[in-house]
Amino acid sequence: MEAIKRKKLRERIIENFFLICACVAVISLLAITFFVFYNGLAPFVSNSYSLWSFLTGVEWRPGSNLYGIFYMIVGSVLATFGAIVIGVPVAILTAVFIAEMAGSQAGKVIRFAVELLYSTGVVLFVFIMIINLIVNRIVKAKVGR
């Protein structure tokens, strides 16, 4: 009987710990979202910069109060479309091959390779972020900011 009470208490403590972690994550996400929107909307509210000029402008010169992201939008759409055109057929054909044609041993090897490629992308993304942070610190140290 005492062991059951201890187990329930331990489960309740762990549940509360995870609830606190989830609340901290949500509050952090909301704070970041608020910060980004607050600082991102400043040029539109204080300087009366139009949203249409922002979306259709082709020059990006913050010193001159020119903020145009049209080329950024077009580049993102084209990169996404290119990734879809290349990635979807490869993914579908690989899934069909693994499910229907590959034997159990070959299927295991291919599944492992696909999982390895997936995790490599995540690790590469984290590595790029770390390099970006290091470069930013070096540049700030050299410039003297």
Side-chain angles (χ1 to χ4, degrees):
M1 192 69 164
E2 186 68 30
I4 294 173
K5 286 183 180 180
R6 253 190 256 134
K7 185 176 179 182
K8 285 188 177 187
L9 177 66
R10 187 172 61 183
E11 286 179 7
R12 190 174 271 164
I13 290 171
I14 292 171
E15 284 177 7
N16 287 334
F17 174 73
F18 285 130
L19 178 65
I20 291 170
C21 290
C23 289
V24 167
V26 169
I27 290 170
S28 300
L29 183 64
L30 290 174
I32 290 169
T33 303
F34 173 76
F35 178 77
V36 167
F37 275 104
Y38 181 76
N39 288 328
L41 292 176
F44 300 107
V45 175
S46 63
N47 296 340
S48 300
Y49 197 78
S50 74
L51 182 63
W52 183 252
S53 297
F54 176 70
L55 293 174
T56 60
V58 293
E59 290 187 63
W60 181 269
R61 294 185 191 167
S64 303
N65 285 334
L66 289 174
Y67 304 101
I69 63 165
F70 181 72
Y71 289 144
M72 294 178 204
I73 293 171
V74 170
S76 296
V77 168
L78 289 176
T80 302
F81 182 71
I84 289 171
V85 166
I86 294 170
V88 169
V90 170
I92 290 173
L93 291 174
T94 302
V96 168
F97 177 77
I98 291 173
E100 299 295 330
M101 301 167 113
S104 64
Q105 199 65 2
K108 286 181 184 178
V109 171
I110 294 172
R111 277 188 204 95
F112 175 74
V114 168
E115 290 172 3
L116 185 65
L117 287 171
Y118 171 72
S119 63
T120 303
V122 173
V123 170
L124 184 64
F125 180 73
V126 170
F127 179 72
I128 289 171
M129 294 294 288
I130 291 171
I131 295 297
N132 188 17
L133 289 172
I134 291 170
V135 169
N136 281 339
R137 289 189 183 222
I138 291 171
V139 167
K140 284 181 182 176
K142 298 233 182 215
V143 173
R145 292 185 194 175

